[in-house]
Amino acid sequence: MPFLILAAALSAAAGPVDCAGYYYFADGRRIETVTLDAQGSVKNRKLMTVRAGQVTPRSATAQLTTRSLDTREPATTSEARCENGDLLLDLTGSLPSQKEALSSRRPILLRYPGDMRVGDALESRVDFDLDGETRGKAMKVRFSLADRRVRASEAVDTPQGRKQAFVIRSTLNVSFRVIGIAIPMRYELVEFFVPGLGVMRTEAEEKGRTVERSTVRFLN
């Protein structure tokens, strides 16, 4: 117990998170995301380029352009914000990879509090739709996110050395609908978030088995 009390005191004494430290707001930075499948083989590689807006210690905005390094799919854009040390990211950027290109009419922003603690329940967007196309037919995909919680704290490797990350787990229900036929899927999403730096690793589990794992590295 004394150790826990000391850890809580040190945490409370820490200053607010600097928005400018998140890698999403470093103008011109290029970030490569490599996703591995269940067998550990490369599933896809993506390159994200940052176009930062105004960045201060307490607030920041950026437009993130992501393109595939393996296919000729059109590049996609998403949004990132920071408000008083809290990071807000477009949820569509961390969904399990799909073969079909999906698009959203608006950003689906999720908040990552800079002062989160193990055991915290985090906000989630319950239901939203994305539009897409498969084999020339219109497709609508419904996502439902629930039970988003900070489950643990774990040291992870980052481009800035080994850092302590919060492990965020959530349940994602996915329903693909093509020509009126719905195909349901369920994932457990796992994110490794370092306050003041960003999400460094994501995983997707299906029926207790990790089906994909993504990591990031800075190219410049």
Side-chain angles (χ1 to χ4, degrees), residues 119-152:
D120 285 355
L122 305 182
E123 76 169 30
S124 61
R125 307 282 178 169
V126 177
D127 292 295
F128 63 96
D129 294 327
L130 296 183
D131 297 315
E133 184 177 297
T134 180
R135 298 181 181 178
K137 297 180 177 63
M139 173 179 65
K140 187 173 289 291
V141 186
R142 164 147 289 200
F143 295 90
S144 175
L145 187 71
D147 195 23
R148 184 168 175 252
R149 292 179 178 274
V150 184
R151 298 294 185 179

Side-chain angles (χ1 to χ4, degrees), residues 3-213:
F3 173 78
L4 295 178
I5 295 173
L6 176 60
L10 291 174
S11 181
V17 171
D18 184 352
C19 287
Y22 286 112
Y23 66 78
Y24 311 92
F25 307 111
D27 192 50
R29 171 166 283 168
R30 299 184 303 146
I31 300 102
E32 182 185 45
T33 300
V34 178
T35 300
L36 306 180
D37 63 17
Q39 288 72 44
S41 299
V42 175
K43 187 174 184 178
N44 60 58
R45 298 176 304 134
K46 294 183 178 180
L47 179 66
M48 183 176 77
T49 304
V50 176
R51 183 180 178 184
Q54 185 176 12
V55 178
T56 72
R58 307 307 297 151
S59 66
T61 60
Q63 182 183 73
L64 310 176
T65 300
T66 303
R67 64 180 179 87
S68 172
L69 295 175
D70 305 311
T71 67
R72 296 184 178 181
E73 294 175 4
T76 61
T77 59
S78 59
E79 182 180 344
R81 302 178 195 165
C82 184
E83 299 173 350
N84 295 318
D86 291 0
L87 179 66
L88 289 90
L89 290 181
D90 191 338
L91 172 62
T92 59
S94 60
L95 294 176
S97 300
Q98 311 294 338
K99 293 181 180 178
E100 298 82 6
L102 301 176
S103 61
S104 174
R105 295 185 179 87
R106 60 185 176 84
I108 310 297
L109 296 176
L110 280 184
R111 185 178 297 272
Y112 298 78
D115 61 350
M116 69 174 63
R117 301 287 185 270
V118 174
D120 285 355
L122 305 182
E123 76 169 30
S124 61
R125 307 282 178 169
V126 177
D127 292 295
F128 63 96
D129 294 327
L130 296 183
D131 297 315
E133 184 177 297
T134 180
R135 298 181 181 178
K137 297 180 177 63
M139 173 179 65
K140 187 173 289 291
V141 186
R142 164 147 289 200
F143 295 90
S144 175
L145 187 71
D147 195 23
R148 184 168 175 252
R149 292 179 178 274
V150 184
R151 298 294 185 179
S153 179
E154 181 178 320
V156 298
D157 291 323
T158 80
Q160 297 181 3
R162 198 154 177 83
K163 292 185 179 293
Q164 204 68 18
F166 288 104
V167 182
I168 303 170
R169 299 185 69 97
S170 56
T171 300
L172 177 68
N173 290 296
V174 185
S175 177
F176 295 86
R177 185 173 292 277
V178 184
I179 322 178
I181 302 173
I183 304 172
M185 302 180 74
R186 180 187 177 95
Y187 295 101
E188 296 296 321
L189 297 185
V190 187
E191 299 173 284
F192 295 78
F193 170 72
V194 178
L197 183 58
V199 178
M200 305 310 302
R201 193 169 94 209
T202 61
E203 298 175 359
E205 299 174 358
E206 189 176 19
K207 298 179 181 179
R209 174 172 170 261
T210 300
V211 294
E212 69 174 45
R213 179 180 290 109

